[in-house]
């Protein structure tokens, strides 16, 4: 008697689990049912210790940069999504293999019951995680829960039956044994099963993806390029004397190129018609404001450079655009806070949150609730419909997708502060070499060949007073500074270096508005933000 092979069982289980994921994806994209693959992963990342997450982020950033895999933020998000799929897939396959071993050991033919039991074991916790808070669903909780549990039960039953079938196909019953026929039956079963599951999986993925593409297109039309502020206005420093060295990054980051960082595997679901900003806590009367209510206030426009505390020196988790919103200082009297209130706790649709002190708001009119970037409503990725802007500090303390503001009477650590990151998260001064324009040489006054070198320098809201470039450990040479878009943005610098052939190392450093020099000592991003000098070596 031949023992039914583990490899057949593995094949059947893997195919069916892929199908389950494909069907979940399809139902999410087409009907808004919870995509448990991401919900479960996001729930897991909330539970894991902050240290481990910081390590995970740092590793991901390092690998992406070492292998040159593209922009850090979108690549990291894809990697996260792949990990989420892997977690569910591996859980399903491991569960399925256990099921198979049990069925094979007992050979009693209770495949359906056992499969149902497996569906319950995996489905109930997944359903509970979804009930606790699904970031992906746009249907009600009950509908979501029934769908998730139902899908797992069907998966379990089909899996149990299929495995039972495999086992019985391998059973040679005494005299009637005809191994050849059995083997053909088995092969036919595997081919049919594999074909059917592959078709469903691929169809689910393709249709789901098409539905998503259509939705995105509709969103694009709404915030189309033509309607952007930058499409019809020159930048305020258009006439600045210093022009960027060719190859320097764009001074004004196009919306689709702005980095994006957030805690969930996917975007929160926000229904624009139902969205309200809720104001509660230590207030005379709780308020709900619509976006239109907020837009009745005098709008405030600020050119802002935002950066992520996980940005490595010279990394791309930094961007500049024009932010529009309402100053919180201006809004404050209308919130009618009680006298005991000292802080505002700002909560987001993805359960992210941060606390801002009233003192800070009273001292700084630039702190603002933002609803537009580059003159169009915030893109979904960037916090539609409302996010906050707080000058001088990293993105980790600036919630997107704001849903409520609660007035409280004490400070509290925010989402990332709770997980061990710096309490203040002030942006360090940083400078980056974007380009050494070896193909762009110019001829200087004394007929010498000059190589334009350039990049950015940024020190939060503190300004940049000086940038210097060093070549091969020689003297520090002062670079030219372009007038920035505002006091809150990066500054473009440029230095024309007298060409010399050979291998050279270029290093840049900057000074803050008050003359303090950039921290040269290298330190990693966690937990205070990266420091150190950016340099670039090349052979000319
Ligand atoms: N609701 C919410 N807001 C958030 C985050 C988040 O995960 N959830 N991430 C923060 C972090 S760490 C950064 S760096 C900025 C990034 O903003 P961006 O994605 O628009 O560039 O958003 C901040 N606001
Ligand atoms: Mo961040």
């Amino acid at each position: 008697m031949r023992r039914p092979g583990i490899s057949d069982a593995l094949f059947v289980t893997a195919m069916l689990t892929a199908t389950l994921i494909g069907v979940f994806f399809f139902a999410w994209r087409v009907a808004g049912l919870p995509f448990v693959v991401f919900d479960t992963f996001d729930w897991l990342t909330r539970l894991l210790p902050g240290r481990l997450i910081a390590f995970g982020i740092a590793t991901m950033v390092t690998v992406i940069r070492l292998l040159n895999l593209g922009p850090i933020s979108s690549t990291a998000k894809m990697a996260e999504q792949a990990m989420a799929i892997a977690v569910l897939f591996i859980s399903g396959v491991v569960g399925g293999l256990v099921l198979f071993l049990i069925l094979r050991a007992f050979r009693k033919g209770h495949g359906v019951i056992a499969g149902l039991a497996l569906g319950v074991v995996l489905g109930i916790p997944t359903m509970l995680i979804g009930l606790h808070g699904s970031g992906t669903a746009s249907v009600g909780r009950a509908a979501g829960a029934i769908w998730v549990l139902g899908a797992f039960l069907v998966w379990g039953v089909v899996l149990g039956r299929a495995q039972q079938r495999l086992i019985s196909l391998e059973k040679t019953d005494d005299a009637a044994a005809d191994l050849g026929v059995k083997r053909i039956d088995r092969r036919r079963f595997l081919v049919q099963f594999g074909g059917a599951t592959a078709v469903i999986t691929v169809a689910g993925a393709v249709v789901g993806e098409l539905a998503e593409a259509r939705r995105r297109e509709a969103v694009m039309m709404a915030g189309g390029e033509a309607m952007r502020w930058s499409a019809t206005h020159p930048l305020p420093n258009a006439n600045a004397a210093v022009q960027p060295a060719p190859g320097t990054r764009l001074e004004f980051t196009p919306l689709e190129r702005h980095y994006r960082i957030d805690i969930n595997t996917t975007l929160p679901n926000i229904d624009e018609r139902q969205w309200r900003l809720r104001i509660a806590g230590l207030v005379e009367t709780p308020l709900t404001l619509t976006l239109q209510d907020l837009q009745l206030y005098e709008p405030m426009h600020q050119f802002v450079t935002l950066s992520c505390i996980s940005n490595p020196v010279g990394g791309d988790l930094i961007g500049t655009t024009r932010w529009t919103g309402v100053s919180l200082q201006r809004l404050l009297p209308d919130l009618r806070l009680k006298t005991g209130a000292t802080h505002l706790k700002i909560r987001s649709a993805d359960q992210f949150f941060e606390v801002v002190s009233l003192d800070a708001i009273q001292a700084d009119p630039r702190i603002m609730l933002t609803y537009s970037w580059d003159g169009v409503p915030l893109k979904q990725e960037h916090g539609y419909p409302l996010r906050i802007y707080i000058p001088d500090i990293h993105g980790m303390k600036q919630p997107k997708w704001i849903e409520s503001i609660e007035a409280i009477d004490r400070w509290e650590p925010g989402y990332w502060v709770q997980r061990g990151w710096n309490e203040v998260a002030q942006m360090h001064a940083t400078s980056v070499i974007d380009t050494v324009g070896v193909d762009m040489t110019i001829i200087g006054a004394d007929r010498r060949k000059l190589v334009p070198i350039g990049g950015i320098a940024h020190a939060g809201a503190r300004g940049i007073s000086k940038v210097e470039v060093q070549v091969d450990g020689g003297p520090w040479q002062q670079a030219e500074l372009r007038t920035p878009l505002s006091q809150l943005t990066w500054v473009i610098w440029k230095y024309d270096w007298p060409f010399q052939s050979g291998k050279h190392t270029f290093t840049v450093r900057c000074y803050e508005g008050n003359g303090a020099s950039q921290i040269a000592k290298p330190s990693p991003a966690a937990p205070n933000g990266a420091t150190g000098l950016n340099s670039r070596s090349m052979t000319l």
Side-chain angles (χ1 to χ4, degrees):
M1 196 172 78
R2 221 182 83 114
R3 279 169 72 76
I6 277 270
S7 59
D8 289 355
L10 189 66
F11 172 74
V12 162
T13 309
M15 289 305 286
L16 195 65
T17 306
T19 306
L20 178 70
I21 295 172
V23 168
F24 272 135
F25 178 73
F26 167 83
W28 172 38
R29 284 321 192 186
V30 172
L33 288 158
F35 190 50
V36 292
V37 180
F38 290 173
D39 290 345
T40 314
F41 189 75
D42 291 339
W43 174 82
L44 268 176
T45 54
R46 298 281 202 290
L47 286 192
L48 294 175
R51 283 268 200 88
L52 192 69
I53 298 281
F55 174 76
I57 297 172
T59 312
M60 219 150 46
V61 170
T62 310
V63 171
I64 293 169
R65 297 190 90 207
L66 271 179
L67 302 182
N68 233 326
L69 297 178
I72 296 174
S73 56
S74 52
T75 312
K77 195 58 90 186
M78 264 166 57
E80 249 175 87
Q81 296 180 339
M83 283 191 270
I85 293 172
V87 166
L88 197 96
F89 183 74
I90 291 169
S91 317
V93 169
V94 168
L97 282 184
V98 171
L99 175 72
F100 179 73
L101 294 177
I102 293 174
L103 287 176
R104 194 174 69 173
F106 290 101
R107 299 187 161 238
K108 283 266 171 52
H110 296 305
V112 169
I113 306 275
L116 204 58
L118 177 63
V120 168
V121 166
L122 290 183
I124 298 254
T126 315
M127 178 189 81
L128 290 177
I129 290 169
L131 274 176
H132 168 262
S134 164
T136 56
S138 47
V139 298
R141 275 167 195 242
I146 292 168
W147 162 244
V148 170
L149 187 58
F152 270 99
L153 293 184
V154 171
W155 170 82
V157 168
V158 175
L159 187 63
R161 277 193 69 143
Q163 294 190 346
Q164 196 64 64
R165 186 81 200 283
L166 275 180
I167 292 169
S168 67
L169 279 175
E170 288 294 351
K171 257 197 237 167
T172 51
D173 29 4
D174 349 320
D178 182 338
L179 273 177
V181 170
K182 291 288 177 196
R183 211 152 291 153
I184 289 168
D185 281 353
R186 171 183 151 273
R187 193 168 308 146
R188 186 187 303 143
F189 172 70
L190 287 179
V191 167
Q192 285 175 351
F193 190 88
T197 47
V199 165
I200 301 174
T201 310
V202 171
V206 169
V207 176
E209 198 51 48
L210 285 179
E212 171 63 3
R214 275 217 350 229
R215 194 195 57 77
R216 289 200 150 253
E217 211 168 292
V219 172
M220 281 281 278
M221 301 290 273
E225 300 203 17
M227 297 158 73
R228 295 186 189 168
W229 176 89
S230 61
T232 47
H233 296 77
L235 293 174
N237 61 351
N239 298 322
V242 177
Q243 290 297 319
T248 306
R249 76 187 70 195
L250 290 174
E251 188 168 29
F252 187 83
T253 313
L255 289 184
E256 33 290 298
R257 273 205 243 163
H258 198 286
Y259 83 92
R260 165 194 165 201
I261 291 288
D262 34 60
I263 54 177
N264 276 2
T265 321
T266 188
L267 300 170
N269 245 310
I270 294 182
D271 180 345
E272 46 196 291
R273 285 152 308 182
Q274 296 194 351
W275 182 88
R276 297 282 183 282
L277 175 63
R278 275 168 236 290
I279 317 261
L282 297 172
V283 291
E284 296 300 336
T285 38
L287 266 182
T288 49
L289 299 174
T290 63
L291 200 53
Q292 288 71 33
D293 293 335
L294 291 170
Q295 287 167 342
L296 287 178
Y297 290 87
E298 173 76 22
M300 184 170 161
H301 309 287
Q302 308 188 81
F303 289 90
V304 166
T305 295
L306 182 70
S307 85
C308 179
I309 196 162
S310 289
N311 194 31
V313 172
D316 63 5
L317 300 178
I318 183 166
T320 300
T321 188
R322 181 176 181 263
W323 298 48
T324 301
V326 49
S327 167
L328 253 177
Q329 201 178 72
R330 171 67 192 81
L331 191 64
L332 216 46
D334 297 349
L335 303 186
R336 316 237 328 262
L337 305 188
K338 290 192 170 153
T339 41
T342 58
H343 291 78
L344 300 181
K345 181 166 185 176
I346 300 175
R347 287 198 182 82
S348 304
D350 58 350
Q351 294 154 31
F352 186 86
F353 59 95
E354 190 46 73
V355 167
V356 187
S357 81
L358 290 177
D359 286 347
I361 295 168
Q362 258 127 18
D364 191 345
R366 298 170 302 179
I367 299 178
M368 76 174 173
L369 294 178
T370 303
Y371 44 75
S372 292
W373 267 17
D374 195 10
V376 289
L378 287 172
K379 287 173 137 235
Q380 249 203 326
E381 292 85 335
H382 296 295
Y384 178 86
L386 195 67
R387 68 184 298 166
I388 196 169
Y389 171 61
I390 306 171
D392 213 40
I393 66 174
H394 280 294
M396 65 164 256
K397 287 178 74 78
Q398 312 197 37
K400 309 191 273 191
W401 307 300
I402 297 176
E403 284 193 332
S404 71
I405 297 181
E406 183 192 358
I408 56 178
D409 59 6
R410 71 210 168 277
W411 178 83
E412 272 179 34
Y415 184 93
W416 282 119
V417 178
Q418 276 186 350
R419 286 160 177 79
W421 292 79
N422 188 291
E423 223 170 86
V424 182
Q426 188 182 47
M427 297 192 253
H428 294 299
T430 191
S431 53
V432 182
I433 300 174
D434 282 342
T435 177
V436 177
V438 277
D439 309 327
M440 317 275 181
T441 49
I442 40 183
I443 303 300
D446 48 1
R447 317 200 104 250
R448 275 206 300 180
K449 211 158 112 180
L450 299 175
V451 178
I453 302 177
I456 52 145
H458 181 55
R462 308 185 301 282
I464 293 291
S465 56
K466 189 163 69 167
V467 171
E468 293 175 331
V469 177
Q470 184 191 47
V471 185
D472 304 327
W476 288 94
Q477 306 283 347
Q478 196 164 335
E480 295 175 276
L481 300 184
R482 175 174 164 83
T483 315
L485 290 167
S486 83
Q487 284 301 305
L488 303 171
T489 66
W490 54 33
V491 173
I492 297 219
W493 60 266
K494 181 182 132 173
Y495 171 63
D496 292 331
W497 170 67
F499 176 86
Q500 282 174 322
S501 59
K503 183 170 195 274
H504 298 290
T505 299
F506 306 89
T507 307
V508 64
R509 74 178 177 198
C510 68
Y511 294 80
E512 301 192 3
N514 67 4
S517 92
Q518 163 179 2
I519 300 171
K521 186 168 174 263
S523 63
N528 302 317
T531 57
L533 301 185
N534 182 233
S535 55
R536 206 183 255 226
S537 294
M538 51 194 349
T539 307
L540 307 177

